[in-house]
Amino acid sequence: MDGNASGEDSVNVDWTTDDEVEIIEEAATSSPPTLTTDASKVTAVNGEASSSAGNSRYTKLAKQIVGMGFPEKLVLKAIEENGEDTELILNALLTYSNLQDSPQRKLSFGSDLSSSDNSYTILDDVSDMDSWSEYEVVDGIDSISRKRNMSSVNTGSLPEQQKKLLLLTDMGYMVEEASIAMERCGPEASIAVLTDFICAAQVAREEGCHMHDDDLKKNQFSNGNSKNKKRKFYEMCKSKNAIQEDTIRLPSLMIGFGVPSDQPEYIHRSLPEEARGLPYFYYENVALTPKGVWDTISRFLYEVEPEFVDSKYFSAAARKRGYVHNLPIQNRFPLIPLPPLTIHQAFPLTKKWWPSWDKRDKLNCIQTVIGSAKLTERIKRALERYDGDPPESVRKFVLEQCRKWNLVWVGKNKVAPLEPDEVEVLLGFPKNHTRGGGISRTDRYKSLGNSFQVDTVAYHLSVLKDIFSNGINVLSLFSGIGGAEVALHRLGIKLKNVVSVEISKVNRDILRSWWEQTDQTGNLIDFDDIQRLDEEQLVKIMNSVGRFDLIIGGSPCNNLAGGNRYSRDGLEGKESALFYEYFRVLKLVKDKMGM
């Protein structure tokens, strides 16, 4: 992660986080439409554009955007102001349109925008803001659809096809992807159909290693004309459009086998014979994964059905996770005192400044980085330009960023990211838990972003209190900052022996510091690398501490989380393949305990 993630100039997400945002990768560019422009600026000759400065990329981009139906003069102006960033150019064009229609700020498009008093637009304040989106499971459980914040632009009187294109780009899709989807699916296709097509193309590309050999001939993409390569690629994607749903589907309400506020009277589940008995095991990872991941996890963990839970039922922040375990599910109970369940309960001082048009009462998934001071200052400047409530287009831009970065209101027109101790509250850790390792503020955010939500996990583990009234031996794999240990401690379960396996020294130091500060009387034994925890070491440990009662952990989600732009390779990814190490160690312990 960028060490300056919380600094003035950084608004980039660390995509190794347990983030739940899905951002579609850039697709291959389609052939741009024909453009005829002002000869003093851009000239098209035989379909190949050239500019007075000889910048062919600049001209090609202008051709493509003008071909979408935007006025040529505004396209050139937007490119001049925003460079070659297609998303910023489209946002600029939309902003010009919004301001032209707005009674509060009229733009004269016949004049030079840069020389007018009206040239200062909301885009100047939020030009470095990314679009935001989140996954949400729809009713009917047949698929996962995107609930997008599509409202950062007002498409008003634009033609229908332009509206669709702009909505898709505002949802985070590349303009090339959107254009291809619209061409393939036809003019009558709905936004849902178009997003499904783009997703299918993306999944097909990501899962290329699982496609038939016919589809993956080496020369299919490495040889020949680039247009042919693109055509073949997208034909292949189209043929994969009917990708099968996962056999394990996420429920519309992610409450697993019940949460404190919604506990069914009786739920019965039958565990496979091989999964019954000690040791208890508990495995966690992000709920929204590439196709087939949870099938694989379930298959390796003795065909146990996953329990999908969103931590918004336990805290003021969402955290969609899947858990595979063989714990009893009856007679669970929550941690007391109950945690705050809304933003204002968690941070009451924010209520004074919270605008009526910000309807949030929950925060989104905690990330490993925060929005920059530069971003919050731009939001403040944008809002200060209006005496009362800002216009709808401004509100939408601001809310987009507040949702994306979990910004809260701390003053008039002023938002700020959460402090590390505030994130600790949301995740159920004691205040200053992550200061114990003597680490930087940036490292604290990273450690917290990859941790358990303690209240959620404690609810599942609460059934162990009566079973292990004299204490428990725990093998904690991928321990992180000790979410499982904190949960057991807060439940009043004595930690006799904890063998912690965690690669990060920062996280090991945090857990060790907590262990000492809470005066634990048991033994904490730590290892740094699960891949070096072999049978011989496990036998020595078990001969020393006895059997393990609980094996708990969540392997890295780097290649599973929707926010990973570049290497969402599922369980075959470099980091997320460590799931198989969890299974290996679990099987070794079960075998030794069964002897």
Side-chain angles (χ1 to χ4, degrees), residues 235-308:
E235 285 174 354
M236 183 179 71
C237 290
K238 188 176 181 181
S239 71
K240 305 291 181 181
N241 197 18
I243 293 175
Q244 297 297 314
E245 294 286 338
D246 282 335
T247 56
I248 295 178
R249 297 187 175 98
L250 302 184
S252 57
L253 287 177
M254 295 186 67
I255 61 172
F257 301 126
V259 296
S261 60
D262 190 352
Q263 179 62 59
E265 290 186 7
Y266 182 76
I267 295 177
H268 173 74
R269 70 165 180 168
S270 178
L271 290 172
E273 184 66 32
E274 199 174 4
R276 298 175 188 174
L278 294 177
Y280 288 115
F281 61 85
Y282 185 90
Y283 175 83
E284 179 259 16
N285 218 311
V286 293
L288 300 164
T289 64
K291 178 181 179 291
V293 166
W294 278 107
D295 277 334
T296 302
I297 291 171
S298 177
R299 185 170 65 253
F300 272 81
L301 297 182
Y302 310 107
E303 302 290 351
V304 174
E305 176 188 359
E307 178 174 11
F308 294 108

Side-chain angles (χ1 to χ4, degrees), residues 1-2 5 11-25 130-133 286 367-369 404-405 446 450 556-568 575-576:
M1 181 175 78
D2 183 358
V11 289
N12 293 323
V13 179
D14 173 16
W15 295 110
T16 63
T17 179
D18 287 5
D19 177 28
E20 294 172 3
V21 201
E22 171 139 21
I23 296 187
I24 304 299
E25 288 182 31
D130 297 327
S131 62
W132 174 86
S133 60
V286 293
Q367 300 180 30
T368 58
V369 291
K404 176 177 180 179
W405 295 105
K446 184 172 183 178
N450 287 315
C557 71
N558 302 41
N559 311 113
L560 306 181
N564 191 327
R565 292 174 186 261
Y566 305 112
S567 56
R568 200 176 183 212
E575 289 83 12
S576 295

Side-chain angles (χ1 to χ4, degrees), residues 92 151 267 333 500:
S151 55
I267 295 177
F333 59 88
S500 169

Side-chain angles (χ1 to χ4, degrees), residues 174-189:
M174 300 302 296
V175 64
E176 294 86 358
E177 292 178 306
S179 299
I180 291 169
M182 291 169 65
E183 179 185 349
R184 295 283 183 149
C185 299
E188 304 302 320

